[in-house]
Amino acid sequence: MTEPTEMPNLQDAAQRKEQTILISIGANVALIFLRFLLASISGSLALKANAWHSLADVFVLGVVYLGLVVTRQKDQRYAGLIARVENIVAIIVAIFIFWMGFELFAEAVGGEAVELAYVAPTAIGAFLGVCITYFMGRYMLFVGRQTGSPSLLAAGFHARMDMFCSSAVLVGLFGSVFGLVGLDKVAATIVVVFIFLAAIEI
């Protein structure tokens, strides 16, 4: 008698996990566009690095989503093949992210510090990014605890770390207001560390 009521609950939990991941991917895509836009108008290397970090997050969430979908399928004949292809793609993406990290690190440690433009609107946009990552982290942790999903819990804690990373970028922007133009490069270096960690995670 309990089986008909348990199956819908399991299906509902699976659908809720997938929906949460898709919402998180959408939020990260919005962050990518926002951060690249702000980086282009302000010249902030830290924001540029933060945008690449968000791109790495999108891939990680995409892998989690694919894993949830494959797990939900009853036909497991192609699960092994999908897992192999997923691993190959993950390695390629990880190498690309490492390469981007080295490029950004070289840009951060080399050359002169650039005075940023349009700092006030850029700082507002960067603060919006911090808020998005904060609420997305809380959302994924909330759903992860309710559904007992280790993947969502890991993604939620990762988003929380991204919030601290984004806060470092915001500090770099405020530093330029007081003439501390070098803080943007310091913030960029901090973000690069998170990019390397994301690549290792992939």
Side-chain angles (χ1 to χ4, degrees):
M1 294 297 293
T2 57
E3 186 176 350
T5 57
E6 287 178 358
M7 289 304 292
N9 289 337
L10 291 174
Q11 290 177 355
D12 289 344
Q15 289 175 355
R16 191 176 180 194
K17 291 176 193 177
E18 293 170 17
Q19 183 183 36
T20 303
I21 292 295
L22 286 176
I23 292 172
S24 301
I25 289 173
N28 272 285
V29 169
L31 283 174
I32 291 168
F33 283 108
L34 175 66
R35 286 166 174 169
F36 272 125
L37 175 64
L38 294 175
S40 65
I41 66 174
S42 66
S44 170
L45 181 61
L47 273 169
K48 181 181 175 183
N50 213 12
W52 282 107
H53 183 223
S54 293
L55 186 63
D57 288 345
V58 167
F59 180 79
V60 172
L61 289 170
V63 170
V64 172
Y65 177 77
L66 183 61
L68 290 173
V69 171
V70 171
T71 302
R72 184 166 51 85
Q73 300 300 319
K74 294 181 180 178
D75 188 354
Q76 296 292 319
R77 287 179 298 176
Y78 302 105
L81 177 61
I82 292 172
R84 289 188 186 93
V85 172
E86 181 183 331
N87 288 336
I88 292 170
V89 173
I91 291 171
I92 294 171
V93 171
I95 292 171
F96 173 74
I97 291 171
F98 263 119
W99 175 74
M100 279 308 307
F102 280 118
E103 288 285 316
L104 290 166
F105 180 74
E107 196 173 344
V109 298
E112 296 290 329
V114 179
E115 186 173 350
L116 304 182
Y118 305 104
V119 176
T122 301
I124 293 171
F127 178 72
L128 176 62
V130 172
C131 292
I132 291 173
T133 53
Y134 171 76
F135 286 112
M136 288 312 303
R138 284 183 62 92
Y139 175 53
M140 285 189 284
L141 287 172
F142 175 75
V143 177
R145 290 188 182 106
Q146 282 202 330
T147 58
S149 171
S151 298
L152 275 178
L153 288 173
F157 284 116
H158 186 88
R160 183 173 289 180
M161 293 304 298
D162 186 31
M163 182 195 71
F164 294 125
C165 180
S166 302
S167 299
V169 174
L170 193 59
V171 170
L173 289 171
F174 279 122
S176 66
V177 175
F178 300 100
L180 302 173
V181 293
L183 271 183
D184 184 65
K185 286 197 168 191
V186 174
T189 305
I190 293 171
V191 177
V192 166
V193 172
F194 280 91
I195 290 174
F196 286 146
L197 291 175
I200 291 170
E201 182 180 3
I202 293 171

